[in-house]
Amino acid sequence: MSTNERPFDLLSKSIGQKVFIRLKNNVNIRGRMASFDAHMNVVLEEAEELDGGDLKAKLGTILLRGGNIIFVSPA
Amino acid sequence: MSTNERPFDLLSKSIGQKVFIRLKNNVNIRGRMASFDAHMNVVLEEAEELDGGDLKAKLGTILLRGGNIIFVSPA
Amino acid sequence: MSTNERPFDLLSKSIGQKVFIRLKNNVNIRGRMASFDAHMNVVLEEAEELDGGDLKAKLGTILLRGGNIIFVSPA
Amino acid sequence: MSTNERPFDLLSKSIGQKVFIRLKNNVNIRGRMASFDAHMNVVLEEAEELDGGDLKAKLGTILLRGGNIIFVSPA
Amino acid sequence: MSTNERPFDLLSKSIGQKVFIRLKNNVNIRGRMASFDAHMNVVLEEAEELDGGDLKAKLGTILLRGGNIIFVSPA
Amino acid sequence: MSTNERPFDLLSKSIGQKVFIRLKNNVNIRGRMASFDAHMNVVLEEAEELDGGDLKAKLGTILLRGGNIIFVSPA
Amino acid sequence: MSTNERPFDLLSKSIGQKVFIRLKNNVNIRGRMASFDAHMNVVLEEAEELDGGDLKAKLGTILLRGGNIIFVSPA
């Protein structure tokens, strides 16, 4: 842990990696992060909507608006 | 996957293509993307409102406010 | 379809025309667009509130705040 | 109808006139518009809260925050 | 009524006077306005929370965030 | 009462003093104000969550986001 | 207590320490703070979602959007 790190560094390190994203209204999404911007908008590839731990729907590539995100976690 | 990509590149590549858009309150819209701007406002042509996978209403050409969008996906 | 178009061009082309507007909370409004601004505030003339496809109330001329709009469509 | 008009022109023309305002959460207010600003904050005189078309409460002079407004209409 | 007035003039004139404030979620507050700022944040002295027209709680001096206000009225 | 006062002066005067804060969703917090900023973010020491007038939980030192606040009052 | 302190100093002092965070919608998270930014976005390591005082889910490292936070407290 370094005090010089910034929160978005976690997104930079997650490029090309699987991430888990919880959205407002308890929707959970999993996918591989292709890109992000300063608003926390993210593009996920092979995105899946989850219901608990189970697959609910395959979404393919999606552009997710940052404003709907509660948290992002490396999967 | 390129680390130089930005999320809105997915919108640029979708111009003239079919996209699927999930809105807040679980409304789903499908249509051909004609244009978008920095607020993620988008114009869709031949837009359709979906109920699950089924057609609920034909909307024609619509200007959708970006603030209502959860995610956009190439259809 | 032109890649040089911008979403608000649809509003410019709708001046003097009938439009259908869906608001948050499922209120639907129909009227003739007299003007709009960069916040998507619009003035509609002979505006009508709709319940499904049926007339619910005649509103006359209204200034509608853009922040309440989900989508605008040429009617 | 003139393409050079802007939505707030409707407010300018309504100074000293009766207006009807629908707020979020379905509250309806009627009163004489004394002033407005760029945020659509408005001062109404002899304001009344309506329940459907009926008088619910006399509010006197009020400063209404623009952010709560759905639409403003000349009464 | 003067067309040169601005909505916040009503707040300036209310300094030292009793005002009635309706908040989002139907909370009503009454008190003497001591100060306000450009965000419509206000300090009320001898503030009271009302339930209908009845006293619900004495709040003393409060700083009320402008963003929660629906309207302010001279009491 | 002075017309030169500003709402945040109440916060300045409350440094080191007990304050009562009502949050959106009817959560009430009491504690000693250690600091605040222009967004009305505040640090409270010996903070307590209240249920009506009764202690619900001891929270210790907390940084409270200003955006959740309805009002702040010297306790 | 110093009047020169600012609310975000509490976050600076919490780097590398355990914190408890209450989110809107009554979700509670506990973890070790690795970094934060001016929007109160925070990265937590070994984050856990709590149900009351009990562990509900292990979340690992998460980037939490500041806009969802009600308060942050040293655990």
Side-chain angles (χ1 to χ4, degrees), chain A residues 1-73:
Chain A
M1 182 219 69
S2 155
T3 59
N4 293 323
E5 281 203 35
R6 299 166 64 95
F8 276 53
D9 293 346
L10 188 65
L11 299 181
S12 302
K13 286 185 272 187
S14 297
I15 293 282
Q17 308 295 317
K18 283 270 193 172
V19 295
F20 174 90
I21 296 181
R22 186 177 297 172
L23 302 181
K24 293 176 185 177
N25 304 328
N26 275 324
V27 175
N28 294 316
I29 306 275
R30 192 168 48 190
R32 196 172 62 244
M33 185 176 293
S35 62
F36 68 90
D37 65 20
H39 300 286
M40 221 182 278
N41 297 319
V42 298
V43 169
L44 298 182
E45 295 170 344
E46 294 171 42
E48 296 173 332
E49 183 176 354
L50 303 177
D51 184 0
D54 299 330
L55 177 64
K56 185 172 164 191
K58 288 177 177 280
L59 305 174
T61 300
I62 63 172
L63 164 54
L64 199 55
R65 274 182 71 90
N68 301 302
I69 293 176
I70 296 181
F71 66 78
V72 180
S73 176

Side-chain angles (χ1 to χ4, degrees), chain G residues 7 13 16 28 36 40 42 45 47 53-56 61 65:
Chain G
K13 285 186 271 187
N28 294 316
F36 68 91
M40 220 184 277
V42 299
E45 295 171 344
D54 299 329
L55 177 65
K56 184 171 165 192
T61 299
R65 274 182 72 91

Side-chain angles (χ1 to χ4, degrees), chain D:
Chain D
M1 182 220 71
S2 155
T3 58
N4 294 324
E5 283 204 35
R6 298 166 65 95
F8 276 53
D9 293 346
L10 188 64
L11 299 182
S12 303
K13 285 184 271 187
S14 298
I15 293 282
Q17 307 296 316
K18 284 270 194 172
V19 295
F20 174 90
I21 297 182
R22 185 176 297 172
L23 302 181
K24 292 174 185 179
N25 305 327
N26 276 323
V27 174
N28 294 317
I29 307 274
R30 191 169 49 192
R32 196 173 60 244
M33 185 176 294
S35 62
F36 68 91
D37 64 21
H39 301 286
M40 222 183 275
N41 297 319
V42 299
V43 169
L44 299 182
E45 295 170 344
E46 295 171 42
E48 296 172 333
E49 183 176 354
L50 302 177
D51 184 1
D54 299 330
L55 178 64
K56 183 172 165 191
K58 288 178 177 279
L59 305 174
T61 300
I62 63 172
L63 164 54
L64 199 55
R65 274 181 72 90
N68 301 301
I69 293 175
I70 295 181
F71 67 78
V72 180
S73 175

